[in-house]
Amino acid sequence: MSVSHGNSDQPYKPQSHGLAVLCAIAFACGVILLYRLSVLPVSWLVLAALVPAFYSALLPTSPILRRSALLSGALLAGLGWATWQAGTQLSQRLPTELERVPVTVEGYVCDIPAAGSFNSLRFSFCVTGWPGISESELPRRLRLSWYGGEAQMLAHHRLELQVVLKRPHGTLNPSGFRYEDWLFRKGYRATGSVRSAEPAMTVPCNIHCRYARAHQSIARWVASHFSDARHYPLIASLMIGNRGAMEPSHWEVLKATGTIHLVAISGLHLGLVALGAGFLARRTLLAAPGHRFSEASLRWGVFAVVGTSCLAYALVSGFTVPTRRALIMVMIATWALMSGREFSPWSSLALAFATVLMLDPFAPLDQGFWLSFSAVAILLVTFSGRLRGSGWLSGLVLAQMAVFIGLWPVLAEFGQGQPLAGLLANLVAIPWVSVVVMPVMIGGGLMVALVPGLADWVVPLMDAAVAALWWLLVLLSEWDMPVLSSPTMPLLLLIAACGLLALRFPLPWFPSLVISAVVVWLWSAADSATGDVTNRYVAVPEVRILDVGQGLSVLVRHRREVLLYDTGPAVPGVFSAMESTVLPNLQDLGVRQIDQLVISHGDSDHAGGVGQLLRRLPVRRLIAGEPDALEGLDVPGQVTVDTCGPGRLALGELDLTFWRSPGGVSGNDASCVLVVRHQVTAIEWILPGDITESVEPAFLESLDARPGRPRHRIVIAPHHGSKTSSSETWVDALEPDSVIYTAGYRHRYGHPHPDVVARYDKVGAVALNTACSGGITLKSTPGGPAIHEMRHHSPFWIGGKGLTRDQCKIP
């Protein structure tokens, strides 16, 4: 269709380079917009809005209206593309009747299996068939664990597995790590464990299957030739992106020094490959005897070699999300340089940004996506258009200072601090990895591939190159260097903006402005160091039951006083709810000090991470039902632990009553029971830990001694709703208005037990379960407790209709 433009007979075609860049940005904004919505849009409605927007761009109206229509169309195109991709993925659902029952699946192992906890193998499985099941939209990608599994069996690649699955599910709180976000981002539509496995050579193997098999073969080849190296986990990571052999100690050092990016094949690594390949290609073409190339031919020849080399290395290193993102950025940057045209680096960045989102519309869920593009933008701000060049050393220092300062607000937005050790570590690590480690890794790997006998010479060289780097990182991680916590976001943005401006325009008045901003922040930090640990003010008393899975952690607040009852589950070296859930939520809620820390008893699902909490936040008083049990839970020796016993305290306007079964009880029956009552609204919460029916009558007797019955009573079900607790006597005596179960989703213990659920239902208690509701907040209001369930404020890929949370029910 051709529409005339003004007096011209030619069809209107937007040829402005600036308009194309704006359209790319609008498309990217449309993709990002999807993840700010709580409901997944209807695809055909987005498409219906897209058609008139693009049609309007072709009409002979004013240029401003045409451009506005074109930008609107690009925005809707991005939103529609992301909506279609997300909807397609969410349509893959495991029926609830197939959860926790053995089923058979056929397919292939689609990543490199890695050792997991409890003698397990973890791997991704791409499903090609569900024998005996007729459902059409079943999950195509599974996240599996095989306890006691055989790596040799997984090497067959194409397999028939008997598995026990459940739908995607994880803890759901306002802050902290969300496993469901990660599963959705990676495309896993079910998780589970393997019961048995058999080779299945009849399973069809498409291109992706063949690539996955080839990459796993490369990983086995690397292991066979380099596994004797002392630093093999780091060598495998840097060489082919296989991080499966890395241990928690590696991650602790990398996190403490801000160098995790070094072991993810990303822009740094592919940029080095591009530089090396481009240099060699240009030298080779210029030195070719008897041949002369035009400048254009030479440029495109170099571009072809660089592209081929980067693509080959990206494929060898697993073609992971960060690698694909880096490949796109490197190729667009190389094309801009080799094309011989004048391109703004910002235009190239915008094009790369939009291209990444077009090829990977789930990218906005990655922290790495925002960190990598933010880092490139910061470097452009710092170096683009500088009238005076920088030497390599001053340029390196300038770049690291800019990235350190500029990324601080981005890290703060993700709830992370900025490790001061990272500035020093990256100043040395990046040039060492660039000049020494990566050439040794790539060159050494190629040499061993061509001449296997050279492995005895190459392995010590690789070990030496990595050992020097690792020695420095371990040294810096052990220094008592602070992780810079974030001041208020406006002040943090001021510091970052002034710092970047000072680095970009080194004028006399900018450094003084930076110094002033830093002094303000240091003054704020000094207040904390001198004891100003004031908590954020809470006007209305509230009780927050955090979703920590199969465990318990309850936060009680009023005014500036805070009580934490239990610290959630933890498995040393594997998982800690304190790190992933409790601490991030405390930080976001403005909790800087715990006035009362109550550990009901010593079980790991109630006291996990208590030592971690005591090292991160000041605790004025620690009360425990089993003080002796805390000795084995990494509690600092200087901490005094009070034994729970009958007594009363106050927390703002809240009355706290403590009780513990008398006598020589231990374990669950030694739980410290806490009763929280707000006299003004006559609302009462009972937090009973894991007490069983054998001691419940004794508690009920103590409760009867208290004057008056509350108008509203909320009970946390003892022992997560186990059949050994919540006896008929307990339930009938308390007659709670609400009962809350803190149980894991489809957990092997089967909490809450149906008999217990029936007892509470009989007395009319409204039942909630953190496995369904996520985190639950109850505020004390004159009309009764105002209940807030996190699932009602979750994103569409967690709380959408027909998904796990929407169909979750209490047994």
Side-chain angles (χ1 to χ4, degrees), residues 232-255:
Y232 168 72
L234 293 170
I235 291 173
S237 179
L238 290 165
M239 186 182 293
I240 61 168
N242 179 14
R243 301 189 288 181
M246 294 184 65
E247 300 175 353
S249 58
H250 289 109
W251 295 112
E252 289 173 4
V253 171
L254 294 171
K255 182 179 179 181

Side-chain angles (χ1 to χ4, degrees), residues 617-738:
L617 288 176
V619 175
R620 295 180 59 188
R621 186 179 183 187
L622 172 56
I623 303 171
E626 290 185 293
D628 294 340
L630 299 186
E631 294 179 1
L633 295 176
D634 196 28
V635 174
Q638 70 274 16
V639 175
T640 301
V641 183
D642 296 332
T643 302
C644 178
R648 299 183 66 177
L649 294 172
L651 189 88
E653 289 183 353
L654 297 172
D655 292 333
L656 310 177
T657 304
F658 297 86
W659 181 89
R660 180 183 182 275
S661 178
V665 294
S666 62
N668 291 342
D669 284 340
S671 294
C672 181
V673 181
L674 173 63
V675 179
V676 180
R677 181 178 288 191
H678 188 212
Q679 299 290 358
V680 176
T681 58
I683 299 176
E684 180 181 86
W685 294 265
I686 298 178
L687 286 60
D690 278 355
I691 63 171
T692 68
E693 58 186 4
S694 62
V695 301
E696 286 174 353
F699 169 75
L700 294 175
E701 289 180 9
S702 70
L703 194 64
D704 289 340
R706 296 193 63 183
R709 190 189 188 284
R711 284 192 298 163
H712 300 276
R713 174 175 282 161
I714 300 100
V715 173
I716 307 293
H719 201 187
H720 319 289
S722 167
K723 64 180 180 180
T724 62
S725 303
S726 295
S727 63
E728 289 189 18
T729 302
W730 166 273
V731 176
D732 291 342
L734 292 179
E735 289 188 297
D737 298 280
S738 300

Side-chain angles (χ1 to χ4, degrees), residues 398-412:
L398 191 63
Q400 288 306 308
M401 287 292 296
V403 170
F404 182 83
I405 295 171
L407 285 185
W408 195 357
V410 184
L411 290 168

Side-chain angles (χ1 to χ4, degrees), residues 713-718 726 736-741 756 760-761 765-769 810:
R713 174 175 282 161
I714 300 100
V715 173
I716 307 293
S726 295
D737 298 280
S738 300
V739 59
I740 298 175
Y741 304 103
V756 172
Y760 284 109
D761 184 61
V766 176
L768 298 173
N769 188 351
I810 299 173

Side-chain angles (χ1 to χ4, degrees), residues 87-106:
T88 300
Q89 183 162 297
L90 290 175
S91 67
Q92 304 169 35
R93 298 177 185 176
L94 182 73
T96 54
E97 60 269 19
L98 294 183
E99 287 190 286
R100 304 298 296 175
V101 297
V103 296
T104 300
V105 294
E106 294 177 341

Side-chain angles (χ1 to χ4, degrees), residues 403-460:
V403 170
F404 182 83
I405 295 171
L407 285 185
W408 195 357
V410 184
L411 290 168
E413 183 64 23
F414 292 125
Q416 301 178 27
Q418 180 69 293
L420 192 57
L423 180 61
L424 300 177
N426 282 289
L427 279 173
V428 178
I430 288 179
W432 182 258
V433 169
S434 304
V435 177
V436 178
V437 175
M438 288 308 298
V440 169
M441 293 295 140
I442 297 175
L446 291 174
M447 291 171 61
V448 173
L450 296 173
V451 185
L454 292 176
D456 293 339
W457 297 87
V458 171
V459 170

Side-chain angles (χ1 to χ4, degrees), residues 261-278:
H261 64 95
L262 294 179
V263 296
I265 305 301
S266 55
L268 172 65
H269 309 79
L270 284 177
L272 293 172
V273 171
L275 286 174

